[in-house]
Every structure is written in C-alpha cells, then in structure tokens.
Amino acid sequence: MKKFSILAAVVVAAIMGSCTNGTPKANLKDDIDTLTYAVGVAQTQGLKEYLTQRMGVDTTYMDEFFKGLTEGANAGDSKKKAAYYAGLQMGQQIAQQWIPGLSYEIFGEDSTRQVSLQNLLAGFISSASGKDCKMTPDEAAQTMQTLMQTVKARVMAEKYGAWKKECEDYMAGIAKKEGIKELGDGIYYEVITEGNGAIPADSNKVSVNYEGKLLNDTIFDSSYKRETPAKFRCNQVIPGWTKALTNMPVGSTWMVYIPQEQAYGSENRGEKLPPFSCLIFKIELLGIEE
C-alpha cells in the first residue's frame, strides 16, 4: 500500500473545484488535464486506510471529508482561514490523541474515567495567548513531572488498596518468620544454599537462574521455564534485586522477599504483576561474568 502524501491531498483538493456536494466533473480537454486527473486518481490509493489509521476518521462520513477538503482548498492562501483550519486539525488531535492518551496514562484500562478536556484547553489557550495563564511552561513541565506519579499512585491505590494492604501484611509476617534475615530497606531473605564464591559489585554482570512469584503463588517470570540463565548488571534491575545480588556469594540460592517500594511500586505492569505487589524470588547466583 502506498503512503498517502500531502501531495495527494493537494491534488484531490485541486480537482474538487468549487463544488461542495457530489463528485466534481472532470474536463479533460488536453494532455495536462488528463495527466492531472490521473495523478489525482493514482494518489488516492490507501486514502481510506490513511484517514482511518492516521487521522481517526470514520469513513462512513466521507461526504463530510470531501466537503471539508473542498473548503480548505478553496481557502487559498487566506492566513485567517489557514489558522482556523490548523486549529480544527489540532483540536482533533487533542480529542482523539491527547485526551485518550493522558487518560490511559493515569487511569489505565478504566474507560469510565477521563481527564478534563475543558482544563486541558484552558491551559493550552491561556498559555498560547499569554492571557491569564496560571503557570509558565517551565513551571508546567515541573508540575507534570511532579504530579504525574503522585496522581497515578493515588489512582492505583484506590483500585488496588486491598491488594496493597495484603502485601504489606505479608511482608510484616515474613519479618517475623524463623530463619529469615534482613538486608535492609525492608528486604528479607532466606538461605537455601550458601555459596562460597565472590560477591558481585553493583556494576558487575552476573548470570542467574530465578523464579518470581506473588504472595498468591502466581509465577510471573522464570528463567527456569525459559531454560536459559539470565545475564545482566546488578545495577540494571529493581532495587531489591541489586541489594540481594550485592550481598550474595556466587553459588548461593536464596529466597528473597521484596516490598513494593523496592520493586515496581505503583507501576501497572499488567494482570500478572499488579501495582503495589511485594515480590518473592528464588535467586540462584551462578557466576560473575565481568
């Protein structure tokens, strides 16, 4: 399928003439007219796919598309109309991409919740116009960075509050279990096999076998199932893993209990790994690669 280009839109618009309803009548009086018409026909290959996939247009309303196309073409070089049509195009992007994208970022799969279109437009227009804006762009960027994680964590806490409490209670119980040792930062471990090899530094690349599960015994990841040891640097994993590996002699096998704060926190990583999950890992440190 050919990629629909701006040229295609220009050519189609040019042959539309001033007619806003129905198909324009071709007037092929010479070779140039015929060539122009042929270009128009050829360039519409893939048009509907482009409108559907790239612009979010419901092709049931193609007559409205042709009407808008004609009006845009007939606007010529009017700067006033060009600004208006640019606003329409950006408004569609806000409605079809910005609002759904931001809503998904905050609320995840919960389609019943959506951020405020009115507030987004208020911020955009007040800043772009320089009228009554409540913060500078730099302040807005900082606010976004600060509030995004806070808001997402609060939304996730509302949805997964019971699970969060269950994980906290589980970790509190692990701390009191016989044979359990503490690594710090709320991380605990239990020795299955004590190795006598070197202990990796956080910059070392290591080879490990592991199995990760939740407190309900759901296995969410396992190198044993893949039948291939995992290799990575100790400082390129979650904090709980880094803490365990940099205290663990080669040849050891530990059960490691990691609170959500030292794992993925409020991050939503899908059904297998809900937010606020404490993680239980069997870790077998096979060797230090470098």
Coordinates of all heavy atoms in Angstrom, one line a residue, residues 62-106:
M62 N -17.5 10.1 4.6 CA -16.6 10.6 3.5 C -17.2 11.8 2.9 O -16.4 12.7 2.5 CB -16.4 9.5 2.5 CG -15.5 8.3 3.0 SD -13.8 8.9 3.4 CE -13.1 9.3 1.9
D63 N -18.5 12.0 2.8 CA -19.0 13.2 2.2 C -18.6 14.4 3.0 O -18.3 15.5 2.4 CB -20.5 13.1 2.1 CG -21.0 12.2 1.0 OD1 -20.2 11.9 0.1 OD2 -22.2 11.9 1.0
E64 N -18.5 14.3 4.3 CA -18.1 15.4 5.2 C -16.6 15.7 5.0 O -16.2 16.8 5.0 CB -18.4 15.1 6.6 CG -19.9 15.1 7.0 CD -20.6 16.4 6.7 OE1 -20.0 17.4 7.1 OE2 -21.6 16.3 6.0
F65 N -15.9 14.6 4.8 CA -14.4 14.8 4.5 C -14.2 15.5 3.2 O -13.4 16.5 3.1 CB -13.7 13.4 4.4 CG -12.4 13.4 3.8 CD1 -11.3 14.0 4.5 CD2 -12.2 13.0 2.5 CE1 -10.0 14.0 3.9 CE2 -10.9 13.0 1.9 CZ -9.8 13.6 2.6
F66 N -15.0 15.2 2.2 CA -14.8 15.9 0.9 C -15.3 17.3 1.0 O -14.7 18.2 0.4 CB -15.7 15.2 -0.2 CG -15.2 13.8 -0.5 CD1 -16.0 12.7 -0.7 CD2 -13.8 13.6 -0.7 CE1 -15.6 11.5 -1.0 CE2 -13.3 12.3 -1.1 CZ -14.2 11.3 -1.2
K67 N -16.3 17.6 1.8 CA -16.7 19.0 2.0 C -15.6 19.8 2.7 O -15.3 20.9 2.2 CB -18.0 19.0 2.9 CG -18.6 20.4 3.1 CD -19.8 20.3 4.0 CE -20.4 21.7 4.3 NZ -21.6 21.6 5.1
G68 N -15.1 19.3 3.7 CA -14.0 20.0 4.4 C -12.8 20.1 3.5 O -12.1 21.2 3.6
L69 N -12.5 19.1 2.8 CA -11.3 19.2 1.8 C -11.5 20.3 0.8 O -10.6 21.1 0.6 CB -11.2 17.8 1.1 CG -10.0 17.6 0.2 CD1 -8.7 17.5 1.1 CD2 -10.1 16.4 -0.6
T70 N -12.7 20.4 0.3 CA -13.0 21.4 -0.7 C -12.9 22.8 -0.1 O -12.3 23.8 -0.7 CB -14.4 21.2 -1.3 OG1 -14.5 19.9 -1.8 CG2 -14.7 22.3 -2.3
E71 N -13.5 23.0 1.1 CA -13.4 24.3 1.8 C -12.0 24.7 2.1 O -11.6 25.9 1.9 CB -14.2 24.3 3.1 CG -15.7 24.2 2.8 CD -16.5 24.1 4.1 OE1 -15.9 24.2 5.2 OE2 -17.8 24.0 4.1
G72 N -11.2 23.7 2.5 CA -9.8 24.0 2.8 C -9.0 24.4 1.5 O -8.2 25.4 1.6
A73 N -9.3 23.7 0.4 CA -8.6 24.0 -0.8 C -9.0 25.4 -1.3 O -8.2 26.2 -1.8 CB -8.9 23.0 -1.8
N74 N -10.3 25.7 -1.2 CA -10.8 27.0 -1.7 C -10.5 28.2 -0.8 O -10.7 29.3 -1.2 CB -12.4 26.9 -1.9 CG -12.8 26.0 -3.1 OD1 -12.0 25.9 -4.0 ND2 -13.9 25.4 -3.0
A75 N -9.9 27.9 0.3 CA -9.5 29.0 1.2 C -8.3 29.7 0.6 O -7.9 30.8 1.0 CB -9.2 28.5 2.6
G76 N -7.6 29.0 -0.3 CA -6.4 29.6 -1.0 C -5.3 29.9 0.0 O -5.0 29.1 0.9
D77 N -4.8 31.1 -0.1 CA -3.7 31.5 0.8 C -4.2 32.4 1.9 O -3.4 33.2 2.5 CB -2.6 32.1 0.0 CG -3.0 33.4 -0.7 OD1 -4.2 33.7 -0.7 OD2 -2.1 34.0 -1.4
S78 N -5.5 32.4 2.2 CA -6.0 33.2 3.3 C -5.4 32.8 4.6 O -5.6 31.7 5.1 CB -7.5 33.0 3.4 OG -8.0 33.6 4.6
K79 N -4.6 33.7 5.2 CA -4.0 33.4 6.5 C -5.0 33.2 7.6 O -4.8 32.4 8.5 CB -3.0 34.5 6.9 CG -1.8 34.6 5.9 CD -0.9 35.7 6.3 CE 0.3 35.7 5.3 NZ 1.3 36.8 5.7
K80 N -6.1 33.9 7.6 CA -7.1 33.8 8.6 C -7.7 32.4 8.6 O -7.9 31.7 9.6 CB -8.2 34.8 8.4 CG -9.3 34.8 9.4 CD -10.3 35.9 9.2 CE -11.4 35.9 10.2 NZ -12.4 37.0 10.0
K81 N -8.1 31.9 7.3 CA -8.7 30.6 7.2 C -7.7 29.5 7.5 O -8.0 28.5 8.1 CB -9.3 30.4 5.8 CG -10.6 31.3 5.6 CD -11.2 31.0 4.3 CE -12.5 31.8 4.1 NZ -13.1 31.6 2.8
A82 N -6.4 29.7 7.1 CA -5.4 28.7 7.4 C -5.2 28.5 8.9 O -5.1 27.4 9.3 CB -4.1 29.2 6.7
A83 N -5.3 29.6 9.6 CA -5.2 29.5 11.1 C -6.4 28.7 11.7 O -6.2 27.9 12.6 CB -5.1 30.9 11.7
Y84 N -7.6 29.0 11.1 CA -8.8 28.3 11.6 C -8.7 26.8 11.3 O -9.0 26.0 12.2 CB -10.0 28.9 10.9 CG -11.3 28.2 11.2 CD1 -11.9 28.4 12.5 CD2 -11.9 27.3 10.3 CE1 -13.1 27.7 12.8 CE2 -13.0 26.7 10.6 CZ -13.6 26.8 11.9 OH -14.8 26.2 12.2
Y85 N -8.3 26.4 10.1 CA -8.2 25.0 9.8 C -7.1 24.3 10.6 O -7.2 23.2 11.0 CB -8.0 24.8 8.3 CG -9.2 25.2 7.5 CD1 -9.1 26.1 6.4 CD2 -10.4 24.7 7.8 CE1 -10.2 26.5 5.7 CE2 -11.6 25.1 7.1 CZ -11.4 26.0 6.0 OH -12.5 26.4 5.3
A86 N -6.0 25.1 10.9 CA -4.9 24.5 11.7 C -5.5 24.2 13.1 O -5.2 23.2 13.7 CB -3.7 25.4 11.8
G87 N -6.3 25.2 13.6 CA -6.9 25.0 14.9 C -7.9 23.8 14.9 O -7.9 23.0 15.9
L88 N -8.6 23.6 13.8 CA -9.5 22.4 13.7 C -8.7 21.1 13.8 O -9.0 20.2 14.5 CB -10.3 22.5 12.4 CG -11.5 23.4 12.4 CD1 -12.1 23.3 11.0 CD2 -12.6 23.0 13.4
Q89 N -7.6 21.1 13.0 CA -6.8 19.9 13.0 C -6.2 19.6 14.4 O -6.2 18.5 14.8 CB -5.7 20.1 12.0 CG -4.8 18.8 11.8 CD -3.8 19.0 10.7 OE1 -3.4 20.1 10.4 NE2 -3.4 17.9 10.1
M90 N -5.6 20.6 15.1 CA -5.1 20.4 16.4 C -6.1 20.0 17.4 O -5.9 19.2 18.3 CB -4.3 21.6 16.8 CG -3.6 21.4 18.2 SD -2.3 22.6 18.5 CE -1.0 22.0 17.4
G91 N -7.3 20.6 17.2 CA -8.4 20.2 18.1 C -8.8 18.8 18.0 O -9.1 18.1 19.0
Q92 N -8.7 18.3 16.8 CA -9.0 16.8 16.6 C -7.9 16.0 17.2 O -8.2 14.9 17.8 CB -9.1 16.5 15.0 CG -10.3 17.0 14.4 CD -11.5 16.3 14.8 OE1 -11.6 15.1 14.7 NE2 -12.5 17.0 15.5
Q93 N -6.7 16.4 17.1 CA -5.6 15.7 17.8 C -5.8 15.7 19.3 O -5.6 14.6 19.9 CB -4.2 16.4 17.5 CG -3.8 16.2 16.0 CD -2.5 16.9 15.8 OE1 -2.0 17.7 16.6 NE2 -1.9 16.5 14.6
I94 N -6.2 16.8 19.9 CA -6.5 16.8 21.3 C -7.6 15.8 21.7 O -7.5 15.1 22.6 CB -6.9 18.3 21.7 CG1 -5.6 19.2 21.6 CG2 -7.4 18.3 23.1 CD1 -5.9 20.7 21.8
A95 N -8.7 15.9 20.9 CA -9.8 15.0 21.2 C -9.5 13.5 21.0 O -9.9 12.7 21.8 CB -11.0 15.4 20.3
Q96 N -8.7 13.2 19.9 CA -8.6 11.8 19.6 C -7.3 11.2 20.1 O -7.2 10.0 20.2 CB -8.6 11.7 18.0 CG -9.9 12.1 17.4 CD -9.8 12.1 15.9 OE1 -8.9 11.7 15.3 NE2 -10.9 12.6 15.3
Q97 N -6.3 12.0 20.5 CA -5.0 11.5 20.9 C -4.6 12.0 22.3 O -4.3 11.2 23.2 CB -3.9 11.9 19.9 CG -4.2 11.4 18.5 CD -3.2 11.9 17.5 OE1 -2.0 12.2 17.8 NE2 -3.6 11.9 16.2
W98 N -4.6 13.3 22.5 CA -4.1 13.8 23.8 C -5.0 13.3 25.0 O -4.5 12.8 25.9 CB -4.1 15.3 23.8 CG -3.1 16.0 22.8 CD1 -2.5 15.3 21.8 CD2 -2.7 17.3 22.8 NE1 -1.7 16.2 21.1 CE2 -1.8 17.5 21.7 CE3 -3.0 18.4 23.6 CZ2 -1.2 18.7 21.4 CZ3 -2.4 19.6 23.3 CH2 -1.5 19.7 22.2
I99 N -6.3 13.6 24.9 CA -7.2 13.2 26.0 C -7.2 11.7 26.2 O -7.0 11.3 27.4 CB -8.6 13.8 25.7 CG1 -8.6 15.3 25.8 CG2 -9.6 13.2 26.8 CD1 -8.3 15.9 27.1
P100 N -7.4 10.9 25.2 CA -7.4 9.4 25.4 C -6.0 9.0 26.0 O -5.9 8.1 26.8 CB -7.7 8.8 24.1 CG -8.4 9.9 23.3 CD -7.8 11.2 23.8
G101 N -4.9 9.5 25.4 CA -3.6 9.1 25.8 C -3.3 9.4 27.3 O -2.8 8.6 28.0
L102 N -3.7 10.7 27.7 CA -3.4 11.1 29.1 C -4.3 10.3 30.0 O -3.9 9.9 31.1 CB -3.7 12.6 29.2 CG -3.4 13.2 30.6 CD1 -2.0 13.0 31.0 CD2 -3.7 14.7 30.5
S103 N -5.6 10.1 29.6 CA -6.5 9.3 30.4 C -6.0 7.9 30.7 O -6.1 7.4 31.8 CB -7.9 9.3 29.8 OG -8.4 10.6 29.7
Y104 N -5.5 7.3 29.6 CA -4.9 6.0 29.8 C -3.7 5.9 30.6 O -3.5 5.0 31.5 CB -4.6 5.4 28.4 CG -4.1 4.0 28.4 CD1 -5.0 2.9 28.5 CD2 -2.7 3.7 28.5 CE1 -4.6 1.6 28.6 CE2 -2.3 2.3 28.6 CZ -3.2 1.3 28.6 OH -2.8 0.0 28.7
E105 N -2.8 7.0 30.5 CA -1.6 7.0 31.3 C -2.0 7.1 32.8 O -1.3 6.5 33.6 CB -0.8 8.3 30.9 CG 0.4 8.5 31.7 CD 1.5 7.6 31.4 OE1 1.4 6.8 30.4 OE2 2.5 7.6 32.1
I106 N -3.1 7.8 33.1 CA -3.4 8.0 34.5 C -4.3 6.8 35.0 O -4.1 6.3 36.1 CB -4.1 9.3 34.8 CG1 -3.1 10.5 34.5 CG2 -4.7 9.4 36.2 CD1 -3.8 11.8 34.5

